Structure formats: structure tokens, C-alpha cells
Amino acid sequence: MRELVVEADGGSRGNPGPAGYGAVVLDPATGETLAEAAEYIGVATNNVAEYKGLVAGLKAARELFPDAAVHVRMDSKLVVEQMSGRWKIKHPDMKPLAAEAARVFPPGRVRYEWIPRERNKHADRLANEAMDAGKRGRQWEPSASTAGLDAAAARNAAAPPPSGPPGDATAGAAMARAALTGTAAAVSTTGTGSGAWPGGVSRPTAPDTAPDDGLFAAEEAVAASVASGDFEAAAGALAPVGHAARTHAPATGGPATRAETPDASAEPGAPAQTGAAAAPAGLAVTPGAAVAPPQARTTPPARAAAPSAQSGAAPRQGWSGPDMGAPATFVLLRHGETALTPEKRFSGSGGSDPELSAAGTRQAEAVAEALAARGTIQEIVSSPLARCRQTAGAVAARLGLDVRIEQGLRETDFGAWEGLTFGEVRERYPEDLDAWLASPKAAPTGGGESFATVARRVAATRDRLTAAYAGRTVLLVTHVTPIKTLVRLALGAPPESLFRMELSAASISAVAYYADGNASVRLLNDTSHLR
């Protein structure tokens, strides 16, 4: 099913006073503006104008794709809560407008999200253009609108000043973008979210997926460097995770919906932290309203997908060719604890698929509260395993979002080691364990997955998701190994780095992916929400 984003707003200069509304329909994958609607409505209140903007935006979306699913984003808490069914509608002027909005699409095809006013600039500017036109005794004309360009310019102006030490790839790219701000306003992706955390490093060349495990080329001799470490804690850093579910793909051409087949995740025991590591033209909306695709203005082009693992094309690094679009930001959430987590037992995708423990459920609620307070998550994608689906479900319930299942986010299959501690594996399969610690190509006993196999799977999943969610902030609820692998690949770090990162249960990490192939690691193992 095609998905569309509708951003709407309304305003009144006097409340009640001269009022107008604005609405824009966006492609969720590219941020491209598909249609705009605006109208001066005479004397009205802010809330009436906001509701009229919602109705106009929904009708514009229906004119484009009658069978679409619609994600409405507004900065009116009142409208969002009332249309979501959580608040009662008491005002007599708003009841018929809410009923009209509810009839545009069938029940269940529209979901609502509150966003801060600064993220609703496009619709806000359309509403102000409509009110300005009304002040002159005219109606809003799409050919004279600069709302899309103004909103893009505002986003650029609001970007924080570049900072960082010499050689910092993110600072260098930010400085280059700042120098090109004049052109950025014309090409920035419209209506996209931004990441929530600062920081950054360059992304390495996309991994090779050839049978020789090119992801680990020239990185075979791991044994010596790892042999001196605490492997019980290290293996523990690869601990289990939670689960969640979603029912529709984000956009046409995006990843298909995944089945909810629980498929145990793989994360060996856990290091010393919480016990686990690891458009058609001429649209007619409401009478008197002017709606049109942005023909006379520069429309932001769809951003190119990041180089895939199969392409072999090396991304531009640091200062060279900065990407002008908003990144796909992955907020990486490790599931909450299960009964196996405190015992540091291998818990992957080939085991018992444990559910969250009481402690894990509390952790999921805590992280849900923290993410709701941040207000930046736009989509949720989860591993199919129960512990991830449960963790994602807790967050989704707080944010009012759906959860999409992605098989590529499942944990490693640890074969015969599932459910065992590191010490128990050492006793029963000493040679296999030594081989596993020595090479990323070695698999656990009994047909489990090697780290090289998992890396290929995770890299392919990363490329699909970055293409589908360009410019958006997506919560990936997954496990220790997939999260560490995403961080390792973003940093260009060797395989042994998997044993040198700790990921606590319900911890948050973040990586931003730009269209030019660069990646920025913005956060690792944040557990502040659990304190």
C-alpha cells in the first residue's frame, strides 16, 4: 500500500480573527512535495483553521492516491489527540470538521503524530501566505507560493554551526554545507525529519558480498589480539534482544512487509553492565481552496539511495562532495532483558526465543518514555524475535506508531551454543570456540552463523532501509550483534571491534547515513533513561 505524509496547519490573527490554513502532501521516502493546499477562510479560531487544514490535506492526498495510507503530522496537540480518539471533541464548531476529516479515508488508514512547530514550517508558511492573501482581498495562488523554499531555507539556517577537531568528517561536511547554503535551499529534501544526536565519522566503502566474505578482507588474524581479553564478558556483549510488529511498507518500492515468524535472536551472554552486551495537476480540495503540485517552484528531487553492498562504489569521505540532504538516521535500540540476559547466556535466533522479563518490561517502558520526550522517531522497525517485538511494542504504544518487522535485524544463530554460558561452551566445544574467536568466518558449533555471514545480512538490510527511509529518523529495535555490526561498518573498524564494544539491555545508539555514502556514529550505549 502506498503511504503518504500530510503536514497541515492553520492560524488566526486574533483568535478569532482573519484565518487561513495550509497543507502539504509529501512522499515519505524522498520528502518530495506532491501537492500543496492553502485557503483564506475569513474570521475563525486557530483550532477551526487547523481542522480545515487537516481536511484539505487529507482530500489532497486522496486525489493523488485514493488507496493510500496516510501519516498526518501536525503541531496542534488538540487536533492530533482528538483525531486519535484520546481526547473528546466538545466544541460545536470542531465536531463537524473532525467528522469530515474522519470520512476522507476509511478507518485505520490514517495515523496521527504531533510534531514541534519548527518541524511544521512548510504548512505554517502556506497558512501565513493564505492569510496574507486574504488581507489583500485575494485568495492564495500556488504559482506565487514560496513556502517550500522558505521552509528549506529555515531548516538550513537552523542547523547548528560546524564544530569538531581537524579531520572530523561530520564537521568538515557541515562546513562544506554551510558554504553552499545558497544552493542547498533549492535542493533540500522537503518535510523530512532530522536526527536527534550529534557526532560523526565517515562511512567506509560498502562491504563486498562475495563468497570470500569481503567484509573482512585482510582481517583474519584476530586470535592474538583477542586472546588476552575477557571473553566471557566479551561474548556477553553479544546478548539477546526484544521484538515488535508492523503491517505496511513505508512507500511504494520500499521493503515489503515481513512475516512475524519468531526466529530467536543471537547474542551471547552479556558484559558487565546490565547483564547483557552487546502528482496530478489541478487538484480541487474544499470549495474556494487552491491546491496544486509545486509546478512553478523548484521541487526537491528524490535523494539517491546510498551505495549498496553489491555496488562496489566507494562513498565520498570527509570533505569531498558533501551530501546536501537530510540523512536516514537509525536510532538503534537493544531490546530489554530476558531471563537469560543476567546469566550472560548465548541467546540468538536459533534458540528458545525468550520473552522480556519483569525487569526487561520496565526497561522497555523507560526507553519508551525517553523516546516520547525526544519526539524525533518517525518510524519503528523491529527484529522478528519476541523480546524485540515486545520492546518495540512498548515504544510504539507511546508514540502512536506501527511496527514493521524486518528479518534482517534478527540476532546471530549461535547453533549448539544457544542457552549456554561462555564457560559452558569453553568446556564442551573448546576447539570450536577458539576458531570462532580467531576468525569472523568461523561459525558456532552445530551450523550457527559466522560474524561474516551476519555482517553481510546486516549490511544488505542497512542498504534497503536507508533507501526506504531517506531523510527520516527510524527506530531499529534489534540485538547486540546487528547493532555492533552497524557501528563497526560505519566506523570502518576491524572485526575484533565487536568484542570491544559493550551494549547494555535497552541501550540506545545512533548512526546517520547520508546519500553520498558517508555515515556518522552519533551515540553508543546510552542508558541514561534507565537511571
Side-chain angles (χ1 to χ4, degrees), residues 51 78-89 112:
Y51 262 107
L78 177 76
V79 174
V80 168
E81 293 299 318
Q82 288 180 341
M83 291 304 299
S84 298
R86 292 185 288 269
W87 291 2
K88 290 184 179 180
I89 305 173
Y112 292 84

Side-chain angles (χ1 to χ4, degrees), residues 24-293:
V24 57
V25 183
L26 306 168
D27 184 306
T30 66
E32 179 184 3
T33 298
L34 302 179
E36 293 175 321
E39 183 186 7
Y40 173 68
I41 59 175
V43 176
T45 65
N46 281 325
N47 294 145
V48 167
E50 289 166 343
Y51 262 107
K52 285 184 173 289
L54 169 63
V55 171
L58 290 172
K59 289 184 175 181
R62 185 179 63 185
E63 289 291 330
L64 287 168
F65 297 99
D67 298 326
V70 180
H71 178 188
V72 175
R73 301 195 297 232
M74 299 180 67
D75 60 49
S76 171
K77 188 74 171 175
L78 177 76
V79 174
V80 168
E81 293 299 318
Q82 288 180 341
M83 291 304 299
S84 298
R86 292 185 288 269
W87 291 2
K88 290 184 179 180
I89 305 173
K90 299 179 180 180
H91 198 286
D93 291 344
M94 286 184 277
K95 284 184 177 181
L97 290 171
E100 183 180 4
R103 290 193 298 267
V104 179
F105 283 92
R109 292 246 301 275
V110 182
R111 60 188 175 93
Y112 292 84
E113 176 191 3
W114 176 86
I115 58 174
R117 184 176 181 183
E118 58 268 20
R119 287 178 51 199
N120 202 27
K121 292 295 187 184
H122 195 151
D124 175 76
R125 277 164 169 72
L126 286 170
N128 276 285
E129 285 184 348
M131 287 185 279
D132 290 341
K135 187 177 180 179
R136 299 190 300 269
R138 300 179 180 180
Q139 277 293 349
W140 176 81
E141 294 289 340
S143 60
S145 176
T146 62
L149 295 178
D150 289 347
R155 283 195 300 273
N156 288 329
S163 62
D168 180 274
T170 298
M175 292 174 69
R177 280 195 289 274
L180 296 173
T181 298
T183 58
V187 300
S188 293
T189 302
T190 304
T192 56
S194 61
W197 292 277
V201 291
S202 295
R203 172 176 172 182
T205 302
D208 184 353
T209 57
D212 65 349
D213 294 329
L215 281 167
F216 298 94
E219 298 175 349
E220 298 294 319
V222 184
S225 61
V226 176
S228 62
D230 177 355
F231 287 110
E232 187 155 359
L238 306 172
V241 201
H243 68 107
R246 163 170 175 154
T247 57
H248 61 274
T252 301
T257 302
R258 307 287 173 171
E260 282 187 46
T261 48
D263 170 84
S265 79
E267 307 165 23
Q273 198 158 331
T274 58
L283 293 178
V285 187
T286 52
V291 186

Side-chain angles (χ1 to χ4, degrees), residues 450-474:
S450 69
F451 285 144
T453 298
V454 175
R456 286 198 302 273
R457 164 164 57 87
V458 169
T461 302
R462 173 203 63 198
D463 290 344
R464 287 198 306 273
L465 295 179
T466 53
Y469 295 112
R472 299 181 68 72
T473 299
V474 185

